[in-house]
Amino acid sequence: MNLPNPKTLIWPTLCGALLGLCILAYLPGQPDRDYVYAVEKAAPAVANIYTTKVVQQRHPLANDPLFKHFFKRNGKAKQQLERSLGSGVIVSDAGYLLTNYHVINGADEILVLLHDGRQALASVIGSDADTDLAVLKIDLGNLTSITIGDPSKIRVGNIVLAIGNPYGFGQTVTQGIVSATGRYGLGLSQFENYIQTDAAINPGNSGGALIDTKGRLLGINTAIYTQSGGSTGIGLAIPTDLALRTMSDLITYGRPLRGWLGIEVQPVGLGTNGVVITALANSGPAEKAGLKVGDILTEINGEQVGDGHAGMKLITYTRPGQHVRIGLLRGEELLTIVTQVAERPNS
């Protein structure tokens, strides 16, 4: 019996061992390596934001009928500095950051502290209370911008990380899962389409990054549901696609450009596709196109309107001047009406 030469087995053995090591490196069950990579990639693009606001401090008796004349004769109200904190995400090497509107609203000075220790005063390029977003600009070189992810591809159960500046502790990372997508009707802003997560989000995290395990930005952390003031496992983030669209509009036009038909609707019934028109704006696009109160809208550009949220979001995302095809039920008659979308008036 002829035995193989041991020398001929060396290279196949080495190759097999190397292949096995490569497979082990990428096998599930080693999430720590994924998290470290994600944080190292995304953390340099997440900044701490400190705001200062000058407020007028008046004595509690200044409006009392017995004392108000005394306070009028004895000078003006004292000024006091009010400070708050939040987070922001560098989304462009040119120095643009995304944060929340409520983080910078009313601020007289905005200081941005970067992950590498540098700091700069920021200017407000634009803000939008309807989505609770704001765009800041800093003038520093060698900035690291975050990699953008696709929130439409995330699924409930995906692992996510939240990066921000909770309670002013400094940059902090928390881990959780995607608990839900498309959350709306919470009364937090005019246009809601939140990613819900149980990653710990606390005061100061607002404006920070929600990332996937590849370090890609999925959303801007915005709000929490809490009765104590701290995290209770329900955090909400604005999806990246909405945030970037709003940012682009604020930079280019100074305001968000949103589509508008001039209709008010309400769902036909729970779990039923369709919304009924309850009011029409005078001379609005819908009225001009011939829509009527009582019409039941069922489709917009071939997509079902559901309970109205999906359909109204589609209209909002349509650029003013573009046309949409509306499928509706009027009595027992099915109709299709094409109309041009106008720009949504200021709310």
Side-chain angles (χ1 to χ4, degrees):
M1 180 177 180
N2 294 326
L3 296 174
N5 189 333
K7 293 183 178 180
T8 63
L9 299 177
I10 294 176
W11 283 111
T13 302
L14 287 175
C15 290
L18 288 173
L19 179 60
L21 289 173
C22 290
I23 293 173
L24 287 173
Y26 288 95
L27 276 176
Q30 298 191 23
D32 289 344
R33 180 172 298 179
D34 291 338
Y35 299 167
V36 170
Y37 169 81
V39 173
E40 289 179 346
K41 185 177 180 181
V46 182
N48 299 341
I49 295 178
Y50 301 91
T51 64
T52 303
K53 182 190 301 184
V54 178
V55 295
Q56 302 295 324
Q57 186 182 33
R58 295 182 62 83
H59 195 280
L61 296 177
N63 294 322
D64 189 290
L66 296 176
F67 296 96
K68 65 180 180 180
H69 296 295
F70 171 80
F71 286 104
K72 285 182 180 179
R73 293 197 306 269
N74 287 273
K76 299 179 181 179
K78 294 181 180 180
Q79 289 186 337
Q80 182 179 5
L81 294 180
E82 185 177 285
R83 294 182 172 88
S84 60
L85 54 88
S87 306
V89 184
I90 302 171
V91 292
S92 164
D93 295 343
Y96 291 106
L97 291 88
L98 272 169
T99 187
N100 286 135
Y101 169 76
H102 74 260
V103 168
I104 57 89
N105 182 30
D108 294 296
E109 183 179 88
I110 303 170
L111 178 68
V112 175
L113 177 64
L114 300 185
H115 184 256
D116 61 13
R118 290 184 294 164
Q119 61 185 29
L121 292 176
S123 57
V124 179
I125 299 301
S127 60
D128 177 37
D130 286 340
T131 53
D132 194 18
L133 288 167
V135 180
L136 306 180
K137 177 77 162 55
I138 57 174
D139 293 320
L140 288 176
N142 299 318
L143 295 174
T144 301
S145 59
I146 201 161
T147 302
I148 305 301
D150 184 356
S152 69
K153 294 182 179 179
I154 64 175
R155 297 293 181 267
V156 174
N158 285 160
I159 294 173
V160 288
L161 307 172
I163 309 178
N165 179 27
Y167 298 110
F169 271 37
Q171 192 175 90
T172 301
V173 182
T174 56
Q175 176 260 329
I177 64 169
V178 174
S179 305
T181 59
R183 286 289 191 217
Y184 66 95
L186 306 176
L188 299 176
S189 62
Q190 181 71 24
F191 302 104
E192 299 178 340
N193 187 36
Y194 295 117
I195 302 168
Q196 181 183 327
T197 176
D198 67 346
I201 297 174
N202 288 291
N205 275 107
S206 291
L210 186 72
I211 64 171
D212 62 15
T213 54
K214 303 292 185 183
R216 297 172 297 198
L217 182 68
L218 297 176
I220 302 297
N221 297 321
T222 297
I224 57 175
Y225 175 81
T226 178
Q227 295 178 330
S228 63
S231 174
T232 56
I234 300 179
L236 302 167
I238 301 169
T240 308
D241 51 358
L242 173 57
L244 292 180
R245 176 192 171 101
T246 303
M247 182 187 79
S248 177
D249 283 353
L250 290 173
I251 293 172
T252 305
Y253 307 108
R255 67 188 190 282
L257 293 185
R258 299 189 176 102
W260 178 72
L261 284 181
I263 59 176
E264 292 182 11
V265 300
Q266 65 181 29
V268 172
L270 185 64
T272 302
N273 175 55
V275 291
V276 59
I277 297 177
T278 57
L280 291 165
N282 290 332
S283 300
E287 185 182 68
K288 290 180 179 178
L291 273 72
K292 298 179 180 180
V293 172
D295 286 346
I296 298 176
L297 309 187
T298 57
E299 291 185 353
I300 297 176
N301 288 346
E303 296 185 22
Q304 291 189 344
V305 301
D307 63 359
H309 176 71
M312 295 306 102
K313 186 175 78 169
L314 194 153
I315 294 298
T316 299
Y317 282 17
T318 301
R319 287 298 185 185
Q322 294 182 344
H323 290 78
V324 292
R325 188 177 69 259
I326 300 172
L328 61 91
L329 181 64
R330 180 176 293 166
E332 296 183 356
E333 185 179 8
L334 291 173
L335 301 174
T336 299
I337 293 178
V338 177
T339 183
Q340 188 178 54
V341 174
E343 182 177 350
R344 183 183 181 88
N346 292 330
S347 57

